[in-house]
Amino acid sequence: MASLVEEAGERVGITVGGELTGVVLPAAELAELEYWAQRGYGAPLPVPDASRESIPGPEQQGPYTRYVHGDGLRMTFTRDRVVVAEVRSAGDLAWLEERARQGRQGYMDPQQSAAFAEFLASQPPSTVPEDQSQEPGPHPEEMAVRQVTDAWQRIETWLRAHAPASYACLKPGASQGEIAALEEALDARVPADLKALWSLHAGVRGRQGAGFLLDNYALMDLDGVVSVYQMKMDSQRHEETLNAIRRAEGRGEDEFTIWKPSWVPVFSFGPTDLIYGIYLDTETGALHRWSNSYEAQDDERRETLITYLEEVADFLETPGLAVGARPGLAGGALVWGPPNHSDPDRLWVEYTG
């Protein structure tokens, strides 16, 4: 099992009577889990009690040496005096993963933290009526910022732990100056929750694994947002000319809307794709699909940015909740599938938790 784990870089389960009792996992993965678990636990990780039975000495298994720990359950495999794999019980691993999730949850790297701090500092303070007698609750925009930030950090935590190729696609956060320049280019107000998302990551790089959001959509970068918006508005101005002709001919019912100034593109089917995507209606807060072949302002999608990101995070943390496309991994990237066309060099494996 140690050789399989070392070659594939993935976990191998140990079952007894059809029940998962233990897991052999790469040493690097365990080291990362223990680091984040200790941050989440807030103290040194507890050590299992020593077994009363005699612990066997080191055992040579081909090129590997197996060491059994004092509790009689944990094991370490080394090759050429380098740790390559570890064995943990299913219960211990579940505990570690939960603490590691908590530890990763509130973490931002220094650059990301600085960009987000700049964003928060730029937000106007919420006002409270003078005659309000009780402590005010959070302002709605403040709540939206918190919810988007929390949902995105859950997604990013999962990517960091399970899909390094997708995690590596994330661009740094945008500065307030960059977001302000985008608003000026669009001549549209961008809501606080979308600004918060862009302050965390201003899109993704165009490489394998970038389309990691539900239905394999990608977070558009700011240049892509401006490009699609301006292209759509140019099409709408042309359409307005045709609409005027239709009205003059008494065919007002044939008027057609391609784009509105309040629609801001956010996700696309690939980081450089300009054909399909999802836009945010900043007047209603609802997400809708767009494409070059039809404008789906009347489609069934009525999610908000918050509910969309929370749904992605929920499906990743609890895959059994996923309806339709399911999360999976291919070549270290998050891919929602099963895919229509399998790549023999990057086999898709469903993620089940």
Side-chain angles (χ1 to χ4, degrees), residues 90-174:
D92 284 349
L93 190 57
W95 185 91
L96 267 179
E97 289 181 319
E98 175 59 23
R99 296 303 178 279
R101 185 188 67 80
Q102 296 170 1
R104 291 188 183 104
Q105 190 79 23
Y107 176 78
M108 295 184 187
D109 63 44
Q111 185 176 16
Q112 188 179 2
S113 179
F116 192 63
E118 180 189 2
F119 165 75
L120 292 179
S122 70
Q123 298 305 294
S126 56
T127 58
V128 181
E130 294 181 2
D131 60 349
Q132 186 165 319
S133 58
Q134 58 183 11
E135 285 295 317
H139 189 275
E141 284 200 344
E142 292 176 7
M143 283 295 296
V145 167
R146 292 182 194 178
Q147 289 172 298
V148 162
T149 303
D150 177 70
W152 184 265
Q153 286 185 334
R154 290 166 60 198
I155 296 169
E156 189 172 333
T157 292
W158 192 95
L159 295 177
R160 187 187 294 117
H162 302 285
S166 294
Y167 179 74
C169 294
L170 293 170
K171 287 187 172 182

Side-chain angles (χ1 to χ4, degrees), residues 7-280:
E7 290 172 8
E10 297 180 356
R11 303 178 180 187
V12 174
I14 303 171
T15 59
V16 176
E19 181 179 350
L20 182 68
T21 59
V23 178
V24 187
L25 67 163
E29 182 181 354
L30 179 65
E32 183 181 15
L33 273 175
E34 289 182 335
Y35 170 80
W36 290 111
Q38 183 160 307
R39 287 181 67 108
Y41 190 61
L45 299 179
V47 178
D49 294 334
S51 171
R52 295 185 179 182
E53 299 179 4
S54 176
I55 302 300
E59 178 182 333
Q60 199 67 29
Q61 298 183 354
Y64 302 95
T65 303
R66 186 195 71 173
Y67 297 90
V68 180
H69 293 234
D71 60 356
L73 299 174
R74 296 176 300 150
M75 302 179 194
T76 296
F77 289 88
T78 67
R79 182 171 60 80
D80 297 330
R81 301 179 65 83
V82 175
V83 177
V84 295
E86 300 270 2
V87 178
R88 292 293 184 269
S89 71
D92 284 349
L93 190 57
W95 185 91
L96 267 179
E97 289 181 319
E98 175 59 23
R99 296 303 178 279
R101 185 188 67 80
Q102 296 170 1
R104 291 188 183 104
Q105 190 79 23
Y107 176 78
M108 295 184 187
D109 63 44
Q111 185 176 16
Q112 188 179 2
S113 179
F116 192 63
E118 180 189 2
F119 165 75
L120 292 179
S122 70
Q123 298 305 294
S126 56
T127 58
V128 181
E130 294 181 2
D131 60 349
Q132 186 165 319
S133 58
Q134 58 183 11
E135 285 295 317
H139 189 275
E141 284 200 344
E142 292 176 7
M143 283 295 296
V145 167
R146 292 182 194 178
Q147 289 172 298
V148 162
T149 303
D150 177 70
W152 184 265
Q153 286 185 334
R154 290 166 60 198
I155 296 169
E156 189 172 333
T157 292
W158 192 95
L159 295 177
R160 187 187 294 117
H162 302 285
S166 294
Y167 179 74
C169 294
L170 293 170
K171 287 187 172 182
S175 68
Q176 290 311 296
E178 290 170 327
I179 294 176
L182 178 139
E183 283 189 293
E184 185 175 350
L186 302 186
D187 194 22
R189 174 188 172 276
V190 176
D193 53 356
L194 182 52
K195 288 181 181 179
L197 177 58
W198 285 336
S199 74
L200 295 171
H201 291 288
V204 292
R205 300 178 180 89
R207 60 175 68 164
Q208 196 72 42
F212 56 75
L213 294 169
L214 199 56
D215 296 329
N216 297 315
Y217 280 99
L219 177 64
M220 299 175 69
D221 64 21
L222 302 193
D223 289 341
V225 170
V226 172
S227 179
V228 168
Y229 184 91
Q230 293 180 341
M231 177 183 68
K232 291 291 189 181
M233 288 302 296
D234 285 344
S235 297
Q236 179 61 36
R237 281 187 281 272
H238 174 69
E239 195 65 29
E240 286 298 335
T241 301
L242 298 179
N243 285 339
I245 296 173
R246 292 170 184 137
R247 288 192 298 271
E249 295 176 346
R251 296 187 295 115
E253 69 278 3
D254 294 335
E255 289 189 35
F256 189 70
T257 298
I258 291 177
W259 204 257
K260 292 182 179 180
S262 61
W263 294 356
V264 177
V266 181
F267 309 114
S268 60
F269 197 64
T272 59
D273 180 73
L274 303 180
I275 307 299
Y276 303 99
I278 297 175
Y279 68 83
L280 174 66

